[in-house]
Structures are given as structure tokens and as C-alpha cells.
Amino acid sequence: DVQLVESGGGLVQPGGSLRLSCATSGFRFNTYWMHWVRQAPGKGLMWVSRINSDGSGTKYADSVTGRFTISRDNAKNILYLQMDSLRADDTGLYYCTREWEASAQDKWGQGTLVTVSS
Amino acid sequence: QSALTQPASVSGSPGQSITISCTGTNSDVGSYHLVSWYQQHPGKAPKLIIYEDTKRPSGVSSRFSASKSGNAASLTISGLQAEDEADYHCCSYSVINTLVFGGGTKLTVL
């Protein structure tokens, strides 16, 4: 079975940093593009970032560019999101997703909650 | 990177059909055949129900269908059931190689 398990969320003060991890299993991780998607409490989904299969290409939403860094370890089957200079509006549930056909996200983790507050 | 536009809520009675709209621009919905739809029950992760504008993944009920015309996509659920009550999100690939989601639509089955 395909599994995506996020971790690393928590409470952090504005300006602080967190590193999220997404441990994957059940599929050939090094052949898929991967994404992070977040959901603020009671709100819709917002795409955050994506990385190609070998890690050589990344893309970010405007609101996180320069503050967040996506990366992956294909030897360990883990996706990461380094989040720096965190702001209150970064608060939300962060999902790790797998890109399938036609840019659709066919597998989602259960999410890890990030709360940015003083 | 403006969000796609969806109605905040829709409702319908069991057995009826409902349609959820998703409006974008020439830079996203109207540029590619890359609109997807997700169903999200409370406290759960989203689930892919439509990809490539109109296709259903294996295992998704045929009661879910979708269409697109120009910059507007839509999701139709026919034969509404209580279990369909959930949030529905549309998503599109964009010309700047990002993904953009709609604000989400809450479906209430009366």
C-alpha cells in the first residue's frame, strides 16, 4: 500500500523555523514528482511547492518563495520542507502529496499541523 | 497566483443532481486539460475524484462527472447520497508551472 506520513509540525513563534518530513513507502519514490499543499483552519487548499523526481527542479508559491525550501532524499524515500521566517498566515495543516497523471495529486498524507503564534 | 473561484456552498436532496462550478483564467483552467477535483470529508485528507478535466480514477463512482468550457470547469454529482456530503476542491495547472486551487465548496445533502 502507498503511504505518505508527515511529521515535524508544531507550535513556533513568528520568525522561527521548522522542517517538515514526509516518509513514503509502497511505491517507487524516485520516479514521482512530489508536492506540499497546506490548508489553513477552516479554509481551502493552497499549493505550496513541488519538486521533480530527481530533485533538480523546484517551484514555489509566491507567498513562500525565498522562505521555504523543498528537497528530497531518494535513498531514504523522504520528502522535506524547510520553512524559515515563518509568519502567522503560514499556519495550517501541511499535506505531502504525490503527483500522478496530468498533474493530479493521487495520494495524500494525513497532514502535519503547523501553528505560528507568539 | 489567484485562487480559482468556486461557490462557497451548494446543497441538494438525496437522488438529485448538483453541479459545482470552478472559474479560472486563460493562464490556468483555460490553458491546459489539467483540471482535477478532490473530495474532502471532515477531518480527512482530500481524495482525487477527477483528473485531466473529465477522467475518473479507478474506483471512483460513475455518479461523479466533470466538464470544462473555456476558463470554466464544473463537477456534477448525480443521484446524490448522504455520503457525498463533503468539501469539494478544484485545482488547475498554470502557465507558470504551479498549481492553483479553488476556495472549496461545501456540499450539504438535505
Side-chain angles (χ1 to χ4, degrees):
Chain A
D1 263 11
V2 172
Q3 288 199 351
L4 306 175
V5 180
E6 302 93 336
S7 62
L11 174 64
V12 62
Q13 292 189 338
S17 298
L18 277 178
R19 187 175 85 154
L20 307 184
S21 299
C22 173
T24 74
S25 60
F27 67 102
R28 290 181 60 194
F29 179 69
N30 62 0
T31 64
Y32 285 87
W33 290 29
M34 300 292 294
H35 297 245
W36 289 98
V37 176
R38 79 182 179 201
Q39 187 168 34
K43 301 296 185 182
L45 302 171
M46 193 202 94
W47 177 80
V48 173
S49 181
R50 67 92 170 140
I51 187 167
N52 66 0
S53 57
D54 66 5
S56 64
T58 60
K59 195 74 175 177
Y60 301 90
D62 286 347
S63 62
V64 308
T65 296
R67 301 187 299 121
F68 290 12
T69 303
I70 190 172
S71 62
R72 63 193 298 161
D73 185 332
N74 282 350
K76 295 181 178 178
N77 298 331
I78 300 176
L79 175 72
Y80 300 102
L81 185 68
Q82 176 67 41
M83 304 188 297
D84 299 319
S85 303
L86 282 161
R87 311 185 308 216
D89 62 359
D90 293 319
T91 293
L93 191 61
Y94 282 72
Y95 292 103
C96 160
T97 72
R98 184 180 82 170
E99 179 175 313
W100 184 54
E101 295 191 17
S103 80
Q105 311 301 302
D106 73 324
K107 299 295 181 184
W108 297 64
Q110 285 305 302
T112 186
L113 182 62
V114 172
T115 303
V116 184
S117 174
S118 55
Chain B
Q1 294 178 359
S2 299
L4 307 178
T5 301
Q6 295 183 237
S9 63
V10 298
S11 63
S13 299
Q16 287 186 332
S17 294
I18 63 93
T19 296
I20 298 171
S21 61
C22 171
T23 304
T25 69
N26 289 333
S27 296
D28 38 62
V29 174
S31 283
Y32 308 102
H33 295 295
L34 295 176
V35 173
S36 52
W37 288 88
Y38 302 86
Q39 177 192 60
Q40 185 180 28
H41 287 109
K44 300 294 186 180
K47 172 190 173 185
L48 177 67
I49 56 173
I50 295 288
Y51 70 101
E52 210 168 317
D53 290 357
T54 60
K55 297 181 179 180
R56 276 190 315 275
S58 174
V60 172
S61 171
S62 59
R63 297 186 300 105
F64 293 92
S65 63
S67 64
K68 195 183 82 173
S69 177
N71 297 336
S74 61
L75 173 72
T76 297
I77 308 174
S78 58
L80 212 54
Q81 299 179 0
E83 67 202 48
D84 298 330
E85 185 161 294
D87 292 330
Y88 291 84
H89 308 270
C90 63
C91 179
S92 176
Y93 191 73
S94 80
V95 296
I96 57 171
N97 302 320
T98 64
L99 293 179
V100 58
F101 283 92
T105 297
K106 180 178 180 60
L107 168 62
T108 300
V109 179
L110 301 170

